[in-house]
Amino acid sequence: MKTQNSSSTRVLLLAILLLFVGSFPSIAQELSGKEIVKKADDLMRGQSNYSEVEMEIIRPSWSRTLRFKSWAKGEDYSLVYITHPQREKGQRFLKRDREMWNYVPSIDRMIKIPPSMMMQSWMGSDLTNDDLVNAASIVEDYDQTVLRNETLRGNECYVIKMVPHEEAPVVWGKVLIWITKKDFITLRNEYYDEADMLVNEEILDEIEDVGDRIIPTRFTMIPADKEGHKTIMKFQNIEFGVDLRDSFFSIQNMKRMR
């Protein structure tokens, strides 16, 4: 009788142990850096999206505001149409695969932006041409390593180091990214040059429910070596899962837009 009781106790303890382990899958299956970054990237990008954005460029002695509309599909296509100010209204920027064009309606000229200019300032802001159209893929063009866990603004985050592949069209020596553990929301990016010096800090906040997901709706880019300089990009409207054909992102369509 005693042996039976001991056997029953062991079976019960084993069942409880299995139940306990099954309740915490993260203990057995930690996500890789690449998996975490992909979840964060998918959250912000979606299969396709349309947005209306206001950008404020701030300098020590002046500031100015740009407004634009943006369409994107996956990682390969994006189109930006400037709506304000009047003197720049109608300028368009198109990305197809790894190539980018700028159409200037005042001179009816199409300009292909070479890879050497992708890291230059976009419209005088602290964002680059690459930042605007996401020409580089944070999933495919980098190796991602989880460095540590850290609390940022009350959120438990993964801190991930991203180092670009040697052949990738990226000038950064590395990027550090803070992604929340709970919802895979990106809260901060730090961009370093090849000498490991901090170049830009990007803060993502104003987390909002935009319909089918919760994302940051304000991005602030701050250069590390330019006091009083920053660019604030605020999403006034954003929709995911919009119906966009590949042909929408053509040079012909870009020139026809009004």
Side-chain angles (χ1 to χ4, degrees):
M1 189 72 176
K2 195 170 184 179
T3 306
Q4 256 187 339
N5 286 341
S6 298
S7 178
S8 298
T9 301
R10 285 197 298 270
V11 171
L12 180 60
L13 287 173
L14 179 60
I16 292 172
L17 179 61
L18 290 172
L19 180 63
F20 178 79
V21 172
S23 299
F24 296 91
S26 60
I27 294 175
Q29 292 184 331
E30 287 291 342
L31 293 173
S32 68
K34 185 170 186 174
E35 288 170 329
I36 295 166
V37 169
K38 186 176 189 312
K39 284 179 177 291
D41 189 50
D42 289 345
L43 181 69
M44 281 304 304
R45 190 191 300 272
Q47 294 296 316
S48 61
N49 66 74
Y50 164 74
S51 60
E52 297 169 6
V53 182
E54 181 172 280
M55 173 185 284
E56 185 178 10
I57 303 168
I58 299 171
R59 298 294 180 258
S61 59
W62 58 267
S63 66
R64 75 185 188 106
T65 299
L66 288 172
R67 297 189 189 96
F68 56 89
K69 298 177 181 180
S70 174
W71 297 261
K73 184 176 181 181
E75 293 188 348
D76 295 330
Y77 301 107
S78 66
L79 177 60
V80 173
Y81 183 98
I82 296 179
T83 59
H84 176 86
Q86 187 62 37
R87 67 179 178 274
E88 285 152 341
K89 183 177 180 179
Q91 278 208 56
R92 297 141 220 188
F93 296 83
L94 172 68
K95 176 212 169 188
R96 289 178 60 91
D97 298 318
R98 296 287 188 178
E99 297 182 324
M100 182 175 174
W101 289 267
N102 173 208
Y103 177 65
V104 184
S106 59
I107 57 175
D108 191 24
R109 186 180 175 191
M110 181 73 68
I111 303 167
K112 186 174 182 180
I113 299 176
S116 60
M117 291 182 63
M118 291 306 292
M119 299 310 296
Q120 291 193 5
S121 168
W122 182 72
M123 302 297 290
S125 73
D126 297 301
L127 276 72
T128 65
N129 289 316
D130 183 87
D131 293 326
L132 177 75
V133 297
N134 294 313
S137 167
I138 64 172
V139 178
E140 300 302 332
D141 289 331
Y142 291 84
D143 289 321
Q144 303 89 356
T145 304
V146 179
L147 292 182
R148 61 185 182 273
N149 298 326
E150 188 174 298
T151 301
L152 178 63
R153 305 201 300 265
N155 298 279
E156 284 296 314
C157 295
Y158 300 102
V159 182
I160 296 173
K161 179 174 74 172
M162 304 199 306
V163 177
H165 301 157
E166 191 171 330
E167 71 282 2
V170 179
V171 299
W172 304 120
K174 73 176 181 185
V175 179
L176 297 185
I177 180 170
W178 280 253
I179 299 173
T180 64
K181 287 188 169 186
K182 182 181 178 183
D183 300 310
F184 300 99
I185 296 172
T186 303
L187 295 182
R188 177 187 179 95
N189 294 308
E190 290 181 355
Y191 301 90
Y192 293 79
D193 63 18
E194 293 181 340
D196 208 31
M197 297 291 292
L198 179 64
V199 177
N200 286 328
E201 171 192 354
E202 185 177 24
I203 299 169
L204 296 82
D205 58 6
E206 296 195 3
I207 312 297
E208 297 180 15
D209 187 334
V210 297
D212 67 338
R213 66 196 66 203
I214 297 173
I215 60 170
T217 60
R218 184 175 69 173
F219 297 9
T220 303
M221 189 74 79
I222 306 171
D225 61 349
K226 297 178 181 177
E227 188 174 350
H229 288 232
K230 65 180 175 180
T231 297
I232 302 172
M233 192 167 70
K234 172 66 178 176
F235 288 90
Q236 306 294 326
N237 177 44
I238 185 164
E239 301 171 19
F240 291 91
V242 293
D243 185 16
L244 295 171
R245 296 185 178 182
D246 292 356
S247 58
F248 177 83
F249 301 93
S250 66
I251 291 175
Q252 294 77 11
N253 185 56
M254 178 174 73
K255 293 179 71 172
R256 286 196 300 264
M257 293 183 73
R258 292 292 182 269

